């Protein structure tokens, strides 16, 4: 009996090893050559080819629509919508500075060329002064800009005014450079 046991022990591990190698080799062969991998790339390639001719047909009308000017989305400076520019003020003043008159003349030309556009002039101040004082000063700045545009021919009913006082600073700094940026009137296109 001891002879038979020795034969059985040798044969069983050898057979298990043979089947393990066979299954491993068979599994690798199936993994390397699989049908889904071969069929997936043509499906991916075919879909964009079918969509490409449709895309230009859909985009062409959109390009025609995009050719019409769309204003009020792009910011030129401050919070002012392009192509207009904001107006800056001196400390504690609401009169239009000489160096800002050219900006307002360009803004008025744009508005006269586009009578469908309505704007809101937003008066802003730096942080110095009380909230009440700055709200009143911001309102005077916005009204000063509106009056200047109206004198240049823009209809008054196309221009609204609002004051934000010191509540919406562009530059949070506490120095003259920051304050100068915050003393302004923004021209925002209403939709």
């Amino acid at each position: 009996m001891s002879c038979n046991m020795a034969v059985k022990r040798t044969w069983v591990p050898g057979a298990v090893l043979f089947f393990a190698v066979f299954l491993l080799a068979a599994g690798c062969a199936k993994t390397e050559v699989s049908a889904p991998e071969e069929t997936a790339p043509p499906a991916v390639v075919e879909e964009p080819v079918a969509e490409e001719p449709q895309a230009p047909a859909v985009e062409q009308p959109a390009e025609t629509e995009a050719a019409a000017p769309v204003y009020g989305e792009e910011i030129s400076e401050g919070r002012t919508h392009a192509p207009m520019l904001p107006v800056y003020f001196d400390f504690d003043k609401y009169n239009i500075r000489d160096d800002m008159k050219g900006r307002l003349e360009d803004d008025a030309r744009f508005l006269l060329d586009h009578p469908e556009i309505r704007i809101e002039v937003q008066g802003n101040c730096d942080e110095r002064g009380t909230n009440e004082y700055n709200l009143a000063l911001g309102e005077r700045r916005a009204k000063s800009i509106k009056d200047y545009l109206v004198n240049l021919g823009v209809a008054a009913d196309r221009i609204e005014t609002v004051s934000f006082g010191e509540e919406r600073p562009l530059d949070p700094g506490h120095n003259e450079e920051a304050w100068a940026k915050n003393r302004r009137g923004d021209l925002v296109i209403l939709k």
Side-chain angles (χ1 to χ4, degrees), residues 1-153:
M1 267 207 195
S2 63
C3 253
N4 286 341
M5 287 180 127
V7 171
K8 285 182 182 177
R9 286 184 192 161
T10 311
W11 183 81
V12 172
V16 170
L17 179 63
F18 174 77
F19 284 118
V21 170
F22 176 75
L23 290 174
L24 182 64
C28 289
K30 286 182 183 177
T31 304
E32 289 178 19
V33 183
S34 66
E37 288 180 20
E38 291 177 15
T39 57
V44 171
V45 172
E46 288 177 19
E47 288 178 23
V49 171
E51 290 177 17
E52 283 182 38
Q54 294 172 357
V58 173
E59 288 178 17
Q60 287 173 352
E63 289 175 12
T64 305
E65 291 173 14
V70 177
Y71 303 106
E73 295 177 5
E74 185 178 325
I75 304 297
S76 66
E77 188 179 318
R79 291 190 177 93
T80 296
H81 289 151
M84 295 181 290
L85 293 170
V87 176
Y88 294 96
F89 293 89
D90 290 329
F91 174 70
D92 201 29
K93 304 283 185 196
Y94 60 91
N95 60 308
I96 305 297
R97 298 185 334 206
D98 288 339
D99 64 328
M100 294 289 116
K101 290 178 181 178
R103 283 181 171 217
L104 276 174
E105 290 166 5
D106 291 341
D107 294 343
R109 255 185 251 111
F110 169 75
L111 291 169
L112 292 170
D113 289 344
H114 298 88
E116 73 282 2
I117 292 178
R118 296 179 61 245
I119 64 167
E120 179 179 75
V121 179
Q122 301 173 348
N124 298 278
C125 301
D126 62 38
E127 65 186 351
R128 298 173 289 177
T130 65
N131 285 341
E132 295 81 17
Y133 180 82
N134 285 335
L135 282 171
L137 180 58
E139 184 59 37
R140 287 192 298 270
R141 287 175 175 172
K143 186 174 176 347
S144 177
I145 293 170
K146 177 180 179 174
D147 291 345
Y148 201 91
L149 291 171
V150 169
N151 285 335
L152 292 173

